[in-house]
Amino acid sequence: MARCIIFLLSVVLSSSALANKLTWSDLQPKLPAIEDPFLLLSDEQLFELGTLARLAQVETLSSEQLDTQKEINAKLSAEGLDVKWLFSKRQEIMDYRRNRATLPNQAISGGEFKIPGFIAPVEFDDERITKFFLVPTSGACVHTPPPPANQIVLVDFPEGMTITSLYQPIWVEGVLEVEKKVADVTYVDGAMDVETVYTMKAIEVTDYQL
């Protein structure tokens, strides 16, 4: 009996220790799933649909463009695709994908969490980083374009920290808030404003360990 109690306590404690850890997918909004027919298309079919979309924007098509339009429609139809239906779904899918990339998960706002990631410095106090973007991949916002707005967290850490490399993963623990913010990040070839829908006041920043 005592062994059972000890075992149950250890399970509860282990669960509570892991409960406050978030993955980056947790930061995405919980949207109802929709049918996305474009995921089933080949790269060639997507390219051909893109060509049709571009031709649809042309006010007066040349004879060559009309032939191209007809050939693509015939080819896609022969492959069993309903082009008109796909175009009718296009805006719905675009809106869904945009929401998946930009809207926050309101359910986690105000909670204390621990998130793994990499640093993109925003503000310094001498040599110490006091504000930074936490991002899911190394070099994001510095060497590569920024991730979607709900895959970035603007972290305020007044006591500051130093790092030896931007490729060094870390854990950041603190109170996560849903809050739209824009901050300037310096690239290797310039600077730009980066947008996020999350902020965090860091309690602790530690090296990443599994």
Side-chain angles (χ1 to χ4, degrees), residues 21-30 104-105 108 151 198:
K21 290 184 180 179
L22 289 182
T23 64
W24 286 95
S25 61
D26 292 326
L27 274 63
Q28 294 178 318
K30 305 306 178 187
N105 179 0
I108 59 178
Q151 296 293 283
Y198 290 110

Side-chain angles (χ1 to χ4, degrees), residues 88-102:
S88 72
K89 295 284 288 183
R90 184 166 174 255
Q91 190 60 51
E92 177 188 352
I93 300 302
M94 288 171 60
D95 291 342
Y96 180 81
R97 291 180 179 178
R98 181 174 59 252
N99 289 337
R100 283 274 295 171
T102 59

Side-chain angles (χ1 to χ4, degrees), residues 64-80:
E64 183 179 350
Q65 289 172 323
L66 285 169
D67 288 341
T68 298
Q69 187 181 57
K70 187 181 298 184
E71 288 172 7
I72 292 176
N73 273 304
K75 178 178 179 295
L76 293 177
S77 180
E79 293 172 353

Side-chain angles (χ1 to χ4, degrees), residues 5-194:
I5 293 173
I6 291 172
F7 174 76
L8 288 172
L9 282 173
S10 66
V11 170
V12 171
L13 289 172
S14 297
S15 299
S16 63
L18 295 174
N20 66 337
K21 290 184 180 179
L22 289 182
T23 64
W24 286 95
S25 61
D26 292 326
L27 274 63
Q28 294 178 318
K30 305 306 178 187
L31 301 177
I34 65 169
E35 180 186 6
D36 188 344
F38 296 96
L39 296 176
L40 303 176
L41 304 183
S42 67
D43 290 342
E44 182 180 2
Q45 289 170 331
L46 289 170
F47 177 79
E48 289 168 337
L49 283 172
T51 301
L52 289 179
R54 287 190 293 275
L55 290 174
Q57 301 301 314
V58 179
E59 187 173 342
T60 304
L61 296 175
S62 67
S63 58
E64 183 179 350
Q65 289 172 323
L66 285 169
D67 288 341
T68 298
Q69 187 181 57
K70 187 181 298 184
E71 288 172 7
I72 292 176
N73 273 304
K75 178 178 179 295
L76 293 177
S77 180
E79 293 172 353
L81 299 183
D82 185 336
V83 174
K84 286 185 177 179
W85 179 77
L86 285 169
F87 276 114
S88 72
K89 295 284 288 183
R90 184 166 174 255
Q91 190 60 51
E92 177 188 352
I93 300 302
M94 288 171 60
D95 291 342
Y96 180 81
R97 291 180 179 178
R98 181 174 59 252
N99 289 337
R100 283 274 295 171
T102 59
L103 294 180
N105 179 0
Q106 294 285 354
I108 59 178
S109 182
E112 187 175 319
F113 298 105
K114 191 174 182 180
I115 311 175
F118 298 86
I119 284 180
V122 174
E123 292 181 7
F124 292 84
D125 183 359
D126 291 329
E127 299 296 321
R128 301 181 71 82
I129 301 169
T130 56
K131 183 174 289 188
F132 58 89
F133 280 122
L134 186 70
V135 291
T137 56
S138 60
C141 298
V142 178
H143 299 290
T144 61
N150 63 13
Q151 296 293 283
I152 309 175
V153 180
L154 182 60
V155 179
D156 188 24
F157 192 46
E159 70 181 73
M161 61 175 295
T162 58
I163 57 172
T164 57
S165 170
L166 294 177
Y167 297 94
Q168 173 187 334
I170 60 169
W171 282 106
V172 179
E173 185 172 355
V175 177
L176 186 70
E177 298 285 357
V178 169
E179 185 179 9
K180 189 173 181 179
K181 288 282 188 177
V182 176
D184 185 73
V185 172
T186 301
Y187 278 81
V188 291
D189 58 351
M192 73 171 294
D193 289 335
V194 175

